[in-house]
Amino acid sequence: MANSLRGEVLNLYKNLLYLGREYPKGADYFRSRLKAAFLKNKDVKDPEKIKQLIARGEFVIKELEALYFLRKYRALKQRYYSDDNQ
């Protein structure tokens, strides 16, 4: 793996690890799944395949951010707006 790709992979892992702290099922669950996913692909040598995996990881980051934003939005909505359906 080229050094530039290695840096990108490490940065991706650190970002995902940071985002996993607030994961709904717990940080330990997220960390173990993240580690397993990275270990599964540790032997990949093809730069194009590595770039595809990095792109998939960045997609996961965006999905996690959307999940956290939605959770915060729901909490704020529940706190400040009354539910008229009841």
Side-chain angles (χ1 to χ4, degrees):
M1 177 174 17
N3 284 336
S4 63
L5 290 178
R6 179 177 168 81
E8 285 185 50
V9 170
L10 288 173
N11 192 26
L12 177 68
Y13 186 80
K14 287 178 185 179
N15 287 339
L16 283 167
L17 200 56
Y18 178 78
L19 286 172
R21 295 182 311 155
E22 297 180 31
Y23 194 69
K25 289 188 176 183
D28 292 333
Y29 173 82
F30 186 85
R31 189 178 320 118
S32 65
R33 298 280 305 249
L34 179 65
K35 185 176 180 180
F38 272 77
L39 286 177
K40 182 179 82 173
N41 295 310
K42 74 176 185 174
D43 295 326
V44 175
K45 303 290 185 202
D46 182 30
E48 291 302 317
K49 179 68 174 168
I50 294 171
K51 288 178 184 177
Q52 288 176 351
L53 292 168
I54 289 171
R56 183 175 179 190
E58 290 171 352
F59 174 76
V60 170
I61 287 175
K62 290 177 185 175
E63 289 294 315
L64 284 172
E65 288 172 345
L67 174 73
Y68 296 156
F69 180 77
L70 186 60
R71 186 175 67 186
K72 289 177 184 178
Y73 170 77
R74 287 180 179 161
L76 286 173
K77 185 177 178 185
Q78 187 177 34
R79 188 175 300 153
Y80 293 110
Y81 295 103
S82 64
D83 190 8
D84 294 334
N85 296 335
Q86 292 179 349

